PDB file of all heavy atoms in Angstrom:
ATOM      1  N   ASN A   1      -6.970   4.213  -8.851  1.00  0.00           N
ATOM      2  CA  ASN A   1      -7.491   5.589  -9.071  1.00  0.00           C
ATOM      3  C   ASN A   1      -8.469   5.549 -10.226  1.00  0.00           C
ATOM      4  O   ASN A   1      -9.506   6.076 -10.260  1.00  0.00           O
ATOM      5  CB  ASN A   1      -6.540   6.544  -9.245  1.00  0.00           C
ATOM      6  CG  ASN A   1      -5.838   6.991  -7.782  1.00  0.00           C
ATOM      7  OD1 ASN A   1      -6.560   7.308  -6.935  1.00  0.00           O
ATOM      8  ND2 ASN A   1      -4.590   7.024  -7.708  1.00  0.00           N
ATOM      9  N   GLU A   2      -7.963   5.042 -11.295  1.00  0.00           N
ATOM     10  CA  GLU A   2      -8.699   4.989 -12.593  1.00  0.00           C
ATOM     11  C   GLU A   2      -9.966   4.225 -12.520  1.00  0.00           C
ATOM     12  O   GLU A   2     -11.088   4.521 -12.855  1.00  0.00           O
ATOM     13  CB  GLU A   2      -7.979   4.422 -13.744  1.00  0.00           C
ATOM     14  CG  GLU A   2      -6.672   5.163 -14.146  1.00  0.00           C
ATOM     15  CD  GLU A   2      -5.976   4.640 -15.270  1.00  0.00           C
ATOM     16  OE1 GLU A   2      -6.444   4.362 -16.289  1.00  0.00           O
ATOM     17  OE2 GLU A   2      -4.759   4.215 -14.911  1.00  0.00           O
ATOM     18  N   LEU A   3      -9.942   3.095 -11.638  1.00  0.00           N
ATOM     19  CA  LEU A   3     -11.093   2.235 -11.504  1.00  0.00           C
ATOM     20  C   LEU A   3     -12.110   3.086 -10.651  1.00  0.00           C
ATOM     21  O   LEU A   3     -13.347   2.843 -10.833  1.00  0.00           O
ATOM     22  CB  LEU A   3     -10.764   0.938 -10.998  1.00  0.00           C
ATOM     23  CG  LEU A   3      -9.802  -0.025 -11.905  1.00  0.00           C
ATOM     24  CD1 LEU A   3      -9.444  -1.399 -11.093  1.00  0.00           C
ATOM     25  CD2 LEU A   3     -10.488  -0.228 -13.176  1.00  0.00           C
ATOM     26  N   ALA A   4     -11.624   3.731  -9.639  1.00  0.00           N
ATOM     27  CA  ALA A   4     -12.454   4.460  -8.728  1.00  0.00           C
ATOM     28  C   ALA A   4     -13.294   5.530  -9.491  1.00  0.00           C
ATOM     29  O   ALA A   4     -14.469   5.687  -9.323  1.00  0.00           O
ATOM     30  CB  ALA A   4     -11.705   5.214  -7.608  1.00  0.00           C
ATOM     31  N   ALA A   5     -12.630   6.041 -10.597  1.00  0.00           N
ATOM     32  CA  ALA A   5     -13.286   7.199 -11.247  1.00  0.00           C
ATOM     33  C   ALA A   5     -14.426   6.498 -12.153  1.00  0.00           C
ATOM     34  O   ALA A   5     -15.600   7.028 -12.300  1.00  0.00           O
ATOM     35  CB  ALA A   5     -12.396   7.812 -12.212  1.00  0.00           C
ATOM     36  N   ILE A   6     -14.203   5.296 -12.587  1.00  0.00           N
ATOM     37  CA  ILE A   6     -15.220   4.531 -13.425  1.00  0.00           C
ATOM     38  C   ILE A   6     -16.382   4.206 -12.545  1.00  0.00           C
ATOM     39  O   ILE A   6     -17.640   4.290 -12.813  1.00  0.00           O
ATOM     40  CB  ILE A   6     -14.649   3.486 -14.121  1.00  0.00           C
ATOM     41  CG1 ILE A   6     -13.711   3.884 -15.157  1.00  0.00           C
ATOM     42  CG2 ILE A   6     -15.718   2.528 -14.806  1.00  0.00           C
ATOM     43  CD1 ILE A   6     -12.863   2.775 -15.894  1.00  0.00           C
ATOM     44  N   ALA A   7     -16.137   3.693 -11.267  1.00  0.00           N
ATOM     45  CA  ALA A   7     -17.169   3.295 -10.328  1.00  0.00           C
ATOM     46  C   ALA A   7     -18.043   4.438 -10.004  1.00  0.00           C
ATOM     47  O   ALA A   7     -19.212   4.339  -9.944  1.00  0.00           O
ATOM     48  CB  ALA A   7     -16.492   2.656  -9.172  1.00  0.00           C
ATOM     49  N   ARG A   8     -17.484   5.606  -9.824  1.00  0.00           N
ATOM     50  CA  ARG A   8     -18.138   6.769  -9.362  1.00  0.00           C
ATOM     51  C   ARG A   8     -19.100   7.127 -10.482  1.00  0.00           C
ATOM     52  O   ARG A   8     -20.386   7.478 -10.450  1.00  0.00           O
ATOM     53  CB  ARG A   8     -17.286   7.950  -9.041  1.00  0.00           C
ATOM     54  CG  ARG A   8     -16.794   7.893  -7.498  1.00  0.00           C
ATOM     55  CD  ARG A   8     -16.255   9.223  -7.182  1.00  0.00           C
ATOM     56  NE  ARG A   8     -15.155   9.776  -8.082  1.00  0.00           N
ATOM     57  CZ  ARG A   8     -13.943   9.482  -7.939  1.00  0.00           C
ATOM     58  NH1 ARG A   8     -13.497   8.732  -7.055  1.00  0.00           N
ATOM     59  NH2 ARG A   8     -13.067  10.104  -8.908  1.00  0.00           N
ATOM     60  N   GLU A   9     -18.507   7.246 -11.823  1.00  0.00           N
ATOM     61  CA  GLU A   9     -19.224   7.698 -12.924  1.00  0.00           C
ATOM     62  C   GLU A   9     -20.411   6.709 -13.135  1.00  0.00           C
ATOM     63  O   GLU A   9     -21.577   7.152 -13.649  1.00  0.00           O
ATOM     64  CB  GLU A   9     -18.388   7.755 -14.129  1.00  0.00           C
ATOM     65  CG  GLU A   9     -19.078   8.082 -15.394  1.00  0.00           C
ATOM     66  CD  GLU A   9     -18.177   8.007 -16.596  1.00  0.00           C
ATOM     67  OE1 GLU A   9     -16.859   7.983 -16.411  1.00  0.00           O
ATOM     68  OE2 GLU A   9     -18.597   7.985 -17.816  1.00  0.00           O
ATOM     69  N   GLU A  10     -20.251   5.401 -12.855  1.00  0.00           N
ATOM     70  CA  GLU A  10     -21.271   4.426 -13.286  1.00  0.00           C
ATOM     71  C   GLU A  10     -22.112   4.057 -12.140  1.00  0.00           C
ATOM     72  O   GLU A  10     -23.114   3.295 -12.284  1.00  0.00           O
ATOM     73  CB  GLU A  10     -20.588   3.136 -13.854  1.00  0.00           C
ATOM     74  CG  GLU A  10     -19.819   3.377 -15.210  1.00  0.00           C
ATOM     75  CD  GLU A  10     -20.859   3.744 -16.261  1.00  0.00           C
ATOM     76  OE1 GLU A  10     -21.943   3.393 -16.180  1.00  0.00           O
ATOM     77  OE2 GLU A  10     -20.281   4.165 -17.528  1.00  0.00           O
ATOM     78  N   GLY A  11     -21.869   4.675 -10.974  1.00  0.00           N
ATOM     79  CA  GLY A  11     -22.686   4.329  -9.818  1.00  0.00           C
ATOM     80  C   GLY A  11     -22.598   3.047  -9.222  1.00  0.00           C
ATOM     81  O   GLY A  11     -23.517   2.250  -8.809  1.00  0.00           O
ATOM     82  N   LEU A  12     -21.289   2.394  -9.244  1.00  0.00           N
ATOM     83  CA  LEU A  12     -21.090   1.061  -8.793  1.00  0.00           C
ATOM     84  C   LEU A  12     -20.531   1.062  -7.404  1.00  0.00           C
ATOM     85  O   LEU A  12     -19.810   1.986  -7.026  1.00  0.00           O
ATOM     86  CB  LEU A  12     -20.048   0.264  -9.794  1.00  0.00           C
ATOM     87  CG  LEU A  12     -20.471   0.296 -11.247  1.00  0.00           C
ATOM     88  CD1 LEU A  12     -19.319  -0.645 -11.885  1.00  0.00           C
ATOM     89  CD2 LEU A  12     -21.821  -0.273 -11.391  1.00  0.00           C
ATOM     90  N   TRP A  13     -20.765   0.038  -6.576  1.00  0.00           N
ATOM     91  CA  TRP A  13     -20.076  -0.316  -5.427  1.00  0.00           C
ATOM     92  C   TRP A  13     -18.727  -0.614  -5.718  1.00  0.00           C
ATOM     93  O   TRP A  13     -18.494  -1.459  -6.572  1.00  0.00           O
ATOM     94  CB  TRP A  13     -20.807  -1.186  -4.618  1.00  0.00           C
ATOM     95  CG  TRP A  13     -20.094  -1.637  -3.290  1.00  0.00           C
ATOM     96  CD1 TRP A  13     -18.977  -2.334  -3.093  1.00  0.00           C
ATOM     97  CD2 TRP A  13     -20.626  -1.255  -1.878  1.00  0.00           C
ATOM     98  NE1 TRP A  13     -18.665  -2.498  -1.791  1.00  0.00           N
ATOM     99  CE2 TRP A  13     -19.648  -1.830  -1.012  1.00  0.00           C
ATOM    100  CE3 TRP A  13     -21.678  -0.724  -1.368  1.00  0.00           C
ATOM    101  CZ2 TRP A  13     -19.771  -1.749   0.319  1.00  0.00           C
ATOM    102  CZ3 TRP A  13     -21.815  -0.489  -0.075  1.00  0.00           C
ATOM    103  CH2 TRP A  13     -20.961  -1.171   0.810  1.00  0.00           C
ATOM    104  N   TYR A  14     -17.667   0.032  -5.158  1.00  0.00           N
ATOM    105  CA  TYR A  14     -16.340  -0.160  -5.500  1.00  0.00           C
ATOM    106  C   TYR A  14     -15.649  -0.986  -4.374  1.00  0.00           C
ATOM    107  O   TYR A  14     -15.387  -0.365  -3.357  1.00  0.00           O
ATOM    108  CB  TYR A  14     -15.539   1.104  -5.819  1.00  0.00           C
ATOM    109  CG  TYR A  14     -14.175   1.002  -6.312  1.00  0.00           C
ATOM    110  CD1 TYR A  14     -13.645   0.006  -6.858  1.00  0.00           C
ATOM    111  CD2 TYR A  14     -13.229   2.032  -5.904  1.00  0.00           C
ATOM    112  CE1 TYR A  14     -12.320  -0.069  -7.397  1.00  0.00           C
ATOM    113  CE2 TYR A  14     -11.855   2.000  -6.360  1.00  0.00           C
ATOM    114  CZ  TYR A  14     -11.523   0.888  -7.071  1.00  0.00           C
ATOM    115  OH  TYR A  14     -10.157   0.860  -7.429  1.00  0.00           O
ATOM    116  N   HIS A  15     -15.432  -2.262  -4.640  1.00  0.00           N
ATOM    117  CA  HIS A  15     -14.679  -3.121  -3.594  1.00  0.00           C
ATOM    118  C   HIS A  15     -13.370  -3.408  -4.013  1.00  0.00           C
ATOM    119  O   HIS A  15     -13.020  -3.681  -5.239  1.00  0.00           O
ATOM    120  CB  HIS A  15     -15.511  -4.287  -3.354  1.00  0.00           C
ATOM    121  CG  HIS A  15     -14.806  -5.236  -2.484  1.00  0.00           C
ATOM    122  ND1 HIS A  15     -14.585  -5.118  -1.087  1.00  0.00           N
ATOM    123  CD2 HIS A  15     -14.294  -6.601  -2.709  1.00  0.00           C
ATOM    124  CE1 HIS A  15     -13.936  -5.990  -0.625  1.00  0.00           C
ATOM    125  NE2 HIS A  15     -13.858  -7.011  -1.445  1.00  0.00           N
ATOM    126  N   ILE A  16     -12.365  -3.292  -2.903  1.00  0.00           N
ATOM    127  CA  ILE A  16     -10.995  -3.657  -3.392  1.00  0.00           C
ATOM    128  C   ILE A  16     -10.600  -5.002  -2.445  1.00  0.00           C
ATOM    129  O   ILE A  16     -10.638  -4.923  -1.225  1.00  0.00           O
ATOM    130  CB  ILE A  16     -10.059  -2.538  -3.132  1.00  0.00           C
ATOM    131  CG1 ILE A  16     -10.265  -1.301  -3.998  1.00  0.00           C
ATOM    132  CG2 ILE A  16      -8.553  -3.007  -3.314  1.00  0.00           C
ATOM    133  CD1 ILE A  16      -9.409  -0.183  -3.731  1.00  0.00           C
ATOM    134  N   ASP A  17     -10.132  -6.002  -3.169  1.00  0.00           N
ATOM    135  CA  ASP A  17      -9.707  -7.140  -2.411  1.00  0.00           C
ATOM    136  C   ASP A  17      -8.186  -6.821  -2.193  1.00  0.00           C
ATOM    137  O   ASP A  17      -7.389  -7.039  -3.040  1.00  0.00           O
ATOM    138  CB  ASP A  17      -9.778  -8.383  -3.192  1.00  0.00           C
ATOM    139  CG  ASP A  17      -9.308  -9.618  -2.578  1.00  0.00           C
ATOM    140  OD1 ASP A  17      -8.762  -9.484  -1.491  1.00  0.00           O
ATOM    141  OD2 ASP A  17      -9.486 -10.747  -3.038  1.00  0.00           O
ATOM    142  N   ALA A  18      -7.821  -6.410  -0.883  1.00  0.00           N
ATOM    143  CA  ALA A  18      -6.476  -6.074  -0.553  1.00  0.00           C
ATOM    144  C   ALA A  18      -5.857  -7.142   0.446  1.00  0.00           C
ATOM    145  O   ALA A  18      -5.175  -6.785   1.319  1.00  0.00           O
ATOM    146  CB  ALA A  18      -6.354  -4.650  -0.148  1.00  0.00           C
ATOM    147  N   ALA A  19      -6.427  -8.320   0.337  1.00  0.00           N
ATOM    148  CA  ALA A  19      -6.161  -9.307   1.400  1.00  0.00           C
ATOM    149  C   ALA A  19      -4.649  -9.549   1.513  1.00  0.00           C
ATOM    150  O   ALA A  19      -4.163  -9.559   2.635  1.00  0.00           O
ATOM    151  CB  ALA A  19      -6.821 -10.726   0.920  1.00  0.00           C
ATOM    152  N   TYR A  20      -3.877  -9.625   0.395  1.00  0.00           N
ATOM    153  CA  TYR A  20      -2.435  -9.787   0.417  1.00  0.00           C
ATOM    154  C   TYR A  20      -1.740  -8.544   0.593  1.00  0.00           C
ATOM    155  O   TYR A  20      -0.977  -8.291   1.522  1.00  0.00           O
ATOM    156  CB  TYR A  20      -2.084 -10.522  -0.850  1.00  0.00           C
ATOM    157  CG  TYR A  20      -0.542 -10.450  -0.929  1.00  0.00           C
ATOM    158  CD1 TYR A  20       0.298 -10.845   0.009  1.00  0.00           C
ATOM    159  CD2 TYR A  20       0.143 -10.005  -2.056  1.00  0.00           C
ATOM    160  CE1 TYR A  20       1.756 -10.683  -0.096  1.00  0.00           C
ATOM    161  CE2 TYR A  20       1.373  -9.789  -2.216  1.00  0.00           C
ATOM    162  CZ  TYR A  20       2.262 -10.288  -1.252  1.00  0.00           C
ATOM    163  OH  TYR A  20       3.590 -10.230  -1.372  1.00  0.00           O
ATOM    164  N   GLY A  21      -2.056  -7.492  -0.335  1.00  0.00           N
ATOM    165  CA  GLY A  21      -1.226  -6.271  -0.357  1.00  0.00           C
ATOM    166  C   GLY A  21      -1.668  -5.114   0.520  1.00  0.00           C
ATOM    167  O   GLY A  21      -0.883  -4.185   0.606  1.00  0.00           O
ATOM    168  N   GLY A  22      -2.811  -5.169   1.170  1.00  0.00           N
ATOM    169  CA  GLY A  22      -3.318  -4.024   1.758  1.00  0.00           C
ATOM    170  C   GLY A  22      -2.423  -3.383   2.922  1.00  0.00           C
ATOM    171  O   GLY A  22      -2.345  -2.213   3.072  1.00  0.00           O
ATOM    172  N   PHE A  23      -1.887  -4.308   3.783  1.00  0.00           N
ATOM    173  CA  PHE A  23      -0.996  -3.872   4.881  1.00  0.00           C
ATOM    174  C   PHE A  23       0.395  -3.260   4.472  1.00  0.00           C
ATOM    175  O   PHE A  23       1.094  -2.618   5.231  1.00  0.00           O
ATOM    176  CB  PHE A  23      -1.024  -4.890   5.928  1.00  0.00           C
ATOM    177  CG  PHE A  23      -2.129  -5.241   6.714  1.00  0.00           C
ATOM    178  CD1 PHE A  23      -2.764  -6.462   6.532  1.00  0.00           C
ATOM    179  CD2 PHE A  23      -2.729  -4.216   7.532  1.00  0.00           C
ATOM    180  CE1 PHE A  23      -4.009  -6.688   7.288  1.00  0.00           C
ATOM    181  CE2 PHE A  23      -3.876  -4.437   8.198  1.00  0.00           C
ATOM    182  CZ  PHE A  23      -4.545  -5.766   8.083  1.00  0.00           C
ATOM    183  N   ALA A  24       0.616  -3.470   3.146  1.00  0.00           N
ATOM    184  CA  ALA A  24       1.863  -2.644   2.634  1.00  0.00           C
ATOM    185  C   ALA A  24       1.695  -1.242   2.792  1.00  0.00           C
ATOM    186  O   ALA A  24       2.780  -0.500   2.585  1.00  0.00           O
ATOM    187  CB  ALA A  24       2.137  -3.170   1.167  1.00  0.00           C
ATOM    188  N   VAL A  25       0.458  -0.624   2.979  1.00  0.00           N
ATOM    189  CA  VAL A  25       0.336   0.779   3.249  1.00  0.00           C
ATOM    190  C   VAL A  25       1.124   1.230   4.471  1.00  0.00           C
ATOM    191  O   VAL A  25       1.408   2.443   4.526  1.00  0.00           O
ATOM    192  CB  VAL A  25      -1.119   1.209   3.477  1.00  0.00           C
ATOM    193  CG1 VAL A  25      -1.896   0.948   2.208  1.00  0.00           C
ATOM    194  CG2 VAL A  25      -1.782   0.530   4.704  1.00  0.00           C
ATOM    195  N   LEU A  26       1.522   0.319   5.328  1.00  0.00           N
ATOM    196  CA  LEU A  26       2.364   0.660   6.451  1.00  0.00           C
ATOM    197  C   LEU A  26       3.759   1.004   6.053  1.00  0.00           C
ATOM    198  O   LEU A  26       4.608   1.650   6.828  1.00  0.00           O
ATOM    199  CB  LEU A  26       2.301  -0.359   7.543  1.00  0.00           C
ATOM    200  CG  LEU A  26       0.987  -0.725   8.104  1.00  0.00           C
ATOM    201  CD1 LEU A  26       1.016  -1.897   9.046  1.00  0.00           C
ATOM    202  CD2 LEU A  26       0.561   0.441   8.860  1.00  0.00           C
ATOM    203  N   ASP A  27       4.271   0.624   4.861  1.00  0.00           N
ATOM    204  CA  ASP A  27       5.653   0.783   4.539  1.00  0.00           C
ATOM    205  C   ASP A  27       5.610   2.184   3.648  1.00  0.00           C
ATOM    206  O   ASP A  27       4.985   2.164   2.533  1.00  0.00           O
ATOM    207  CB  ASP A  27       6.079  -0.339   3.517  1.00  0.00           C
ATOM    208  CG  ASP A  27       7.402  -0.165   2.983  1.00  0.00           C
ATOM    209  OD1 ASP A  27       8.184   0.611   3.462  1.00  0.00           O
ATOM    210  OD2 ASP A  27       7.584  -0.726   1.709  1.00  0.00           O
ATOM    211  N   PRO A  28       6.308   3.323   4.108  1.00  0.00           N
ATOM    212  CA  PRO A  28       6.116   4.453   3.425  1.00  0.00           C
ATOM    213  C   PRO A  28       6.682   4.439   1.944  1.00  0.00           C
ATOM    214  O   PRO A  28       6.113   5.167   1.106  1.00  0.00           O
ATOM    215  CB  PRO A  28       7.108   5.419   4.138  1.00  0.00           C
ATOM    216  CG  PRO A  28       7.150   4.769   5.695  1.00  0.00           C
ATOM    217  CD  PRO A  28       7.126   3.305   5.395  1.00  0.00           C
ATOM    218  N   ARG A  29       7.574   3.392   1.644  1.00  0.00           N
ATOM    219  CA  ARG A  29       8.086   3.419   0.266  1.00  0.00           C
ATOM    220  C   ARG A  29       7.100   2.706  -0.633  1.00  0.00           C
ATOM    221  O   ARG A  29       7.126   3.049  -1.904  1.00  0.00           O
ATOM    222  CB  ARG A  29       9.472   2.597   0.358  1.00  0.00           C
ATOM    223  CG  ARG A  29      10.209   2.621  -0.995  1.00  0.00           C
ATOM    224  CD  ARG A  29      11.561   2.237  -0.751  1.00  0.00           C
ATOM    225  NE  ARG A  29      11.621   0.722  -0.387  1.00  0.00           N
ATOM    226  CZ  ARG A  29      11.755  -0.132  -1.410  1.00  0.00           C
ATOM    227  NH1 ARG A  29      11.892   0.051  -2.654  1.00  0.00           N
ATOM    228  NH2 ARG A  29      11.792  -1.488  -1.049  1.00  0.00           N
ATOM    229  N   THR A  30       6.192   1.869  -0.212  1.00  0.00           N
ATOM    230  CA  THR A  30       5.230   1.238  -0.912  1.00  0.00           C
ATOM    231  C   THR A  30       3.919   1.808  -0.977  1.00  0.00           C
ATOM    232  O   THR A  30       3.125   1.684  -1.837  1.00  0.00           O
ATOM    233  CB  THR A  30       5.174  -0.287  -0.270  1.00  0.00           C
ATOM    234  OG1 THR A  30       6.382  -0.924  -0.287  1.00  0.00           O
ATOM    235  CG2 THR A  30       4.192  -1.186  -1.293  1.00  0.00           C
ATOM    236  N   ARG A  31       3.559   2.569   0.046  1.00  0.00           N
ATOM    237  CA  ARG A  31       2.291   3.170   0.133  1.00  0.00           C
ATOM    238  C   ARG A  31       1.764   3.853  -1.091  1.00  0.00           C
ATOM    239  O   ARG A  31       0.715   3.813  -1.511  1.00  0.00           O
ATOM    240  CB  ARG A  31       2.236   4.161   1.283  1.00  0.00           C
ATOM    241  CG  ARG A  31       0.831   4.663   1.686  1.00  0.00           C
ATOM    242  CD  ARG A  31       0.747   5.529   2.745  1.00  0.00           C
ATOM    243  NE  ARG A  31      -0.543   5.999   3.070  1.00  0.00           N
ATOM    244  CZ  ARG A  31      -1.439   5.396   3.941  1.00  0.00           C
ATOM    245  NH1 ARG A  31      -1.148   4.339   4.496  1.00  0.00           N
ATOM    246  NH2 ARG A  31      -2.697   6.002   4.005  1.00  0.00           N
ATOM    247  N   PRO A  32       2.646   4.671  -1.825  1.00  0.00           N
ATOM    248  CA  PRO A  32       2.153   5.447  -2.981  1.00  0.00           C
ATOM    249  C   PRO A  32       1.674   4.378  -4.002  1.00  0.00           C
ATOM    250  O   PRO A  32       0.755   4.795  -4.849  1.00  0.00           O
ATOM    251  CB  PRO A  32       3.374   6.131  -3.610  1.00  0.00           C
ATOM    252  CG  PRO A  32       4.269   6.284  -2.342  1.00  0.00           C
ATOM    253  CD  PRO A  32       4.045   5.135  -1.536  1.00  0.00           C
ATOM    254  N   LEU A  33       2.084   3.084  -4.164  1.00  0.00           N
ATOM    255  CA  LEU A  33       1.557   2.137  -5.047  1.00  0.00           C
ATOM    256  C   LEU A  33       0.150   1.796  -4.724  1.00  0.00           C
ATOM    257  O   LEU A  33      -0.553   1.348  -5.618  1.00  0.00           O
ATOM    258  CB  LEU A  33       2.417   0.918  -4.999  1.00  0.00           C
ATOM    259  CG  LEU A  33       3.833   1.056  -5.359  1.00  0.00           C
ATOM    260  CD1 LEU A  33       4.640  -0.265  -5.215  1.00  0.00           C
ATOM    261  CD2 LEU A  33       4.125   1.584  -6.802  1.00  0.00           C
ATOM    262  N   LEU A  34      -0.365   2.000  -3.580  1.00  0.00           N
ATOM    263  CA  LEU A  34      -1.713   1.785  -3.095  1.00  0.00           C
ATOM    264  C   LEU A  34      -2.536   2.907  -3.087  1.00  0.00           C
ATOM    265  O   LEU A  34      -3.607   2.924  -2.457  1.00  0.00           O
ATOM    266  CB  LEU A  34      -1.619   1.051  -1.777  1.00  0.00           C
ATOM    267  CG  LEU A  34      -0.884  -0.286  -1.926  1.00  0.00           C
ATOM    268  CD1 LEU A  34      -0.457  -0.868  -0.425  1.00  0.00           C
ATOM    269  CD2 LEU A  34      -1.632  -1.399  -2.535  1.00  0.00           C
ATOM    270  N   LYS A  35      -2.086   4.005  -3.653  1.00  0.00           N
ATOM    271  CA  LYS A  35      -3.033   5.124  -3.645  1.00  0.00           C
ATOM    272  C   LYS A  35      -4.328   4.837  -4.374  1.00  0.00           C
ATOM    273  O   LYS A  35      -4.431   4.284  -5.517  1.00  0.00           O
ATOM    274  CB  LYS A  35      -2.304   6.294  -4.398  1.00  0.00           C
ATOM    275  CG  LYS A  35      -3.091   7.631  -4.462  1.00  0.00           C
ATOM    276  CD  LYS A  35      -3.167   8.215  -3.134  1.00  0.00           C
ATOM    277  CE  LYS A  35      -3.890   9.649  -3.203  1.00  0.00           C
ATOM    278  NZ  LYS A  35      -4.168  10.195  -1.938  1.00  0.00           N
ATOM    279  N   GLY A  36      -5.504   5.158  -3.806  1.00  0.00           N
ATOM    280  CA  GLY A  36      -6.705   4.903  -4.346  1.00  0.00           C
ATOM    281  C   GLY A  36      -7.516   3.890  -3.490  1.00  0.00           C
ATOM    282  O   GLY A  36      -8.769   3.744  -3.616  1.00  0.00           O
TER     283      GLY A  36
END
């Protein structure tokens, strides 16, 4: 979330490499850690 705010403020393309962790959004207990 903090990095997203900086990217918006500075006009940068914001890319997230979630190759390993991205699919953890499917786990309801872990999903909040991936907010953003």
Side-chain angles (χ1 to χ4, degrees):
N1 283 311
E2 294 177 66
L3 297 179
I6 294 172
R8 280 197 305 270
E9 179 184 341
E10 297 290 345
L12 307 185
W13 179 287
Y14 182 30
H15 175 63
I16 299 177
D17 180 357
Y20 166 55
F23 288 114
V25 295
L26 295 176
D27 175 27
R29 194 166 64 93
T30 306
R31 186 179 181 94
L33 300 177
L34 295 161
K35 182 68 176 171

